Amino acid sequence: MSDPCLPVRHVRPAKGWINDPNGVCRWNGRWHVFYQFNPDEPRHGQIHWGHASSADLVHWQEEEVAIRPRPGQLDEVGCWSGCFTNDAGTPTFCYTAVATGPADAVGAIATGSDDLLGWQQAETPSAPRVGVPAAETRDPFVVWIEGRRYIVQGHGGPGVPAQVLVYDATDLADWKLLGPLLEMTDPVAAEHAAADIWECPNLVQVDGQWVLVLSLWRHNGVQGELSGVRWLVGDIALSDGVPRFTARDGGVVDHGPAFYAPQLLPDVDAAEQARVLMWGWSWELDRDDAWLDAHGWAGVITTARELHLRDGKLVSQPAPEVLSELVEEASQSWTAGDGARVVTTTGPGRLVCSAADGPEVVELTGASTVVVDGSLVEVFTDGAAFTTRIYPTDESVWSVQADGVTVARL
């Protein structure tokens, strides 16, 4: 039986758990999104890297699992988040290898075939664990600064101030720690992105300015809490080849309750001006074990979003390729499970899902573009993004109550 909650035009397999997008790239003219994946059950654990590819950012093909935990190896309990890089023609993953738990994580690499379907995981770490025993370090991201390759990683933990560490990554088999790229002592970072660990740091140039995107992990005394995603725009200064980031301003990447751990991709093959694309993880909201077991899946990767700076602020919209795939439809309502939709409005209003399992309404605060796919709802209003989840049932009907509405099938 079809599942009205299951997204059909976004990255996720038919079953299992997924979280962070990893290794996003454009290789040989095709888009690839790898992702944190537990194929065995809809819960976090035994993390592999799943893989999907697409020619158009809309129709995604599930590929074979790319890398997986190896008994007795440095990634025995998980191949956690990381990135893709082109190492002089060799496809390479830089990832977080976990042998027993987050505090023992090390940096590792895997090299791939030219079709990105076969991967060889290294047997020795590229970077050892760092810091005091309570500290955690994870989520490598490759960035080029003035012709030199670096890796940034998130660092911190209970009683350990959040930092972004930077490494010389000239040799991907041996990352050399250079020190902190950014620390919580930066007043702008402290104001906009206070956290115990800065997870999934992404450092890219957007419209010619350096932007650092951070996912906030905060300790609540019992366990960690995922506390949203922030952007910082600033400057990079190099001293003897060591980069340091100083923030000028900051803000919220997505204002919704179900968005975390994005990965950014500078699209160097863009036909016109350079651009940056972003994918994020949208988790399930208020779903209990019974729901997870009945549906057999959890998590979805968001629409590819194009990022720009407007008046010094980071803004986002669905990638133009997504919107170009639309098929016009006249009706302002549709039955749940009947494919994905993109809704545009010229003014404020409401998106309503009747007979939903939980909340039924999303408020639209102005002229908006809305992507609805299964239970995933992404709202874009004047450059601001809002990602949430609404869970339709077999009896549900979606409808839009606003001015100037256009509904199109995706």
Side-chain angles (χ1 to χ4, degrees), residues 168-188:
D168 178 344
T170 302
D171 181 358
L172 288 179
D174 183 17
W175 314 346
K176 299 186 184 302
L177 181 61
L178 300 176
L181 177 86
L182 177 70
E183 299 175 274
M184 193 63 75
T185 52
D186 182 298
V188 177

Side-chain angles (χ1 to χ4, degrees), residues 187-202:
V188 177
E191 176 186 356
H192 292 283
D196 291 288
I197 302 176
W198 283 327
E199 295 194 297
C200 303
N202 285 231

Side-chain angles (χ1 to χ4, degrees), residues 85 87 92 94 108-109 126 142 149 151 169-175:
T85 191
D87 187 25
T92 304
C94 302
I109 64 169
S126 293
V142 168
R149 183 169 57 200
I151 282 176
T170 302
D171 181 358
L172 288 179
D174 183 17
W175 314 346

Side-chain angles (χ1 to χ4, degrees), residues 25-71:
C25 62
R26 193 177 187 182
W27 185 260
N28 292 337
R30 192 167 179 85
W31 302 98
H32 297 264
V33 173
F34 301 86
Y35 50 86
Q36 300 280 271
F37 178 41
N38 182 355
D40 296 326
E41 61 175 339
R43 292 170 181 80
H44 187 273
Q46 285 296 305
I47 293 298
H48 302 51
W49 276 31
H51 179 198
S53 70
S54 174
D56 57 14
L57 296 177
V58 175
H59 302 88
W60 291 93
Q61 175 178 310
E62 185 177 354
E63 308 285 3
E64 292 294 322
V65 168
I67 59 176
R68 62 190 71 229
R70 296 169 293 171

Side-chain angles (χ1 to χ4, degrees), residues 123-135:
E123 295 185 0
T124 57
S126 293
R129 77 163 312 280
V130 297
V132 300

Side-chain angles (χ1 to χ4, degrees), residues 225-311:
E225 293 181 333
L226 311 183
S227 301
V229 184
R230 303 293 186 268
W231 59 265
L232 300 171
V233 63
D235 302 300
I236 287 186
L238 282 173
S239 177
D240 295 326
V242 178
R244 179 82 176 185
F245 181 88
T246 301
R248 298 196 309 271
D249 198 2
V252 177
V253 172
D254 187 293
H255 297 266
F259 182 89
Y260 197 72
Q263 188 159 101
L264 280 57
L265 174 65
D267 182 14
V268 296
D269 296 326
E272 299 178 0
Q273 62 181 0
R275 63 172 181 173
V276 175
L277 296 181
M278 177 180 71
W279 289 259
W281 164 42
S282 183
W283 61 72
E284 307 310 317
L285 292 177
D286 300 322
R287 300 293 95 180
D288 59 19
D289 286 345
W291 190 95
L292 295 175
D293 290 335
H295 289 257
W297 60 271
V300 61
I301 304 300
T302 66
T303 299
R305 303 175 183 184
E306 187 170 299
L307 303 183
H308 288 285
L309 289 172
R310 183 194 301 163
D311 299 325

